[in-house]
Amino acid sequence: MIETLPFMWAWLWRFLAGVASASLMILAAPLSLPYIKERFRGRIGGFVFSGIGLGAVVSGFTLPFIANINIDLVWIVLGSVVFCAFVLSLFSLRTLKDLKQTIHKDNKFKIPYGLWLLIISYILNAIGYLPHTLFWVDYLVRELNFSTLLAGSSWAFFGIGSALGSISSGILADKIEIKNAHIVVLFFKALSCFIAAFANDLFWLNCSIFIMDFTTTGNVTLTNTLALKIVFKEHFPTSSSF
């Protein structure tokens, strides 16, 4: 029983982290986009979600080295960073009251047809990209026999693509409209899967993971912006949670 406890704890901790991450993803857009003028929403949305990529870049380059020193130290560092973010949020988020009032008005919200299509697109997108990203480092190490340091560095390309993709997709949406930008992003997202399926060279694999998260955060940004355009500000928190 004692031997299995750490493994059971990892499952519980992973679950709680998933709940918290999903909540942050849902709340980030309603706490920012409705308060921005429409012509700037693409770029501001890209800036907001670029934090996902910046975090992946830092973790990809630093955590493997910290883990080589002491794996427990990795958890201490991560916990400290999250605690600092928590304390900062207590003093910086001033629109939670407005968000609560908006959600209260959304009790009778019915999902429109356009939002249903967007939700289906988002579900299919997740089915496509999650295996690519979730098992990336494990795939490089176990299946292709790369070192853990090379695999961790490759994961950092995920973060670089994420940071650039979020901002670039927002700018692209402002240039060619949200729907057209969405089509372009999803096309390149599919392309990255084909690269990973047929390439074993590290250069092309890094290109694959870079394009994948370039388009992943781009898709998150554009989906939230498009949802806001479909349902408007008063129903946006509810539609974002869907």
Side-chain angles (χ1 to χ4, degrees):
M1 177 65 182
I2 295 178
E3 292 180 355
T4 61
L5 183 60
F7 186 68
M8 293 171 60
W9 168 247
W11 276 79
L12 176 61
W13 185 249
R14 184 74 170 175
F15 174 79
L16 294 176
V19 172
S21 298
S23 300
L24 287 172
M25 289 289 289
I26 291 168
L27 291 172
L31 284 172
S32 56
L33 293 184
Y35 308 98
I36 305 298
K37 292 182 179 179
E38 186 171 358
R39 67 178 183 272
F40 299 124
R41 282 176 183 166
R43 300 181 189 188
I44 297 300
F47 176 75
V48 169
F49 289 105
S50 66
I52 302 171
L54 294 176
V57 171
V58 174
S59 64
F61 281 118
T62 60
L63 294 187
F65 293 98
I66 299 176
N68 283 334
I69 299 173
N70 189 333
I71 190 65
D72 293 335
L73 185 60
V74 174
W75 291 106
I76 294 173
V77 170
L78 290 175
S80 299
V81 171
V82 173
F83 181 75
C84 291
F86 165 71
V87 173
L88 181 63
S89 69
L90 294 178
F91 299 97
S92 61
L93 297 179
R94 302 297 184 185
T95 56
L96 284 174
K97 184 178 180 180
D98 297 335
L99 179 61
K100 185 177 179 181
Q101 292 173 349
T102 303
I103 294 175
H104 181 71
K105 297 176 182 178
D106 289 344
N107 293 333
K108 297 181 180 180
F109 174 66
K110 294 182 180 180
I111 302 177
Y113 177 73
L115 186 60
W116 271 120
L117 293 178
L118 194 61
I119 291 172
I120 293 171
S121 170
Y122 212 52
I123 292 171
L124 295 175
N125 162 74
I127 292 172
Y129 94 86
L130 275 174
H132 186 290
T133 55
L134 189 61
F135 303 111
W136 186 253
V137 173
D138 192 60
Y139 171 67
L140 294 187
V141 173
R142 293 175 184 263
E143 199 71 25
L144 300 182
N145 299 317
F146 287 105
S147 69
T148 54
L149 288 179
L150 278 177
S153 299
S154 181
W155 177 254
F157 281 94
F158 175 92
I160 296 171
S162 176
L164 295 177
S166 183
I167 296 174
S168 300
S169 66
I171 297 174
L172 184 65
D174 291 338
K175 297 287 186 181
I176 65 173
E177 297 185 355
I178 301 171
K179 184 183 72 173
N180 295 328
H182 214 162
I183 293 171
V184 171
V185 163
L186 290 177
F187 170 79
F188 280 99
K189 197 176 185 70
L191 179 64
S192 69
C193 286
F194 283 104
I195 293 175
F198 295 104
N200 292 325
D201 183 77
L202 187 60
F203 171 81
W204 288 109
L205 291 170
N206 286 338
C207 286
S208 174
I209 193 68
F210 174 83
I211 296 172
M212 173 55 72
D213 210 45
F214 187 99
T215 53
T216 293
T217 52
N219 186 50
V220 171
T221 302
L222 294 174
T223 298
N224 277 280
T225 308
L226 192 55
L228 179 58
K229 187 174 182 179
I230 293 172
V231 300
F232 305 110
K233 179 179 177 179
E234 60 269 20
H235 297 300
F236 182 48
T238 303
S239 68
S240 184
S241 67
F242 278 115

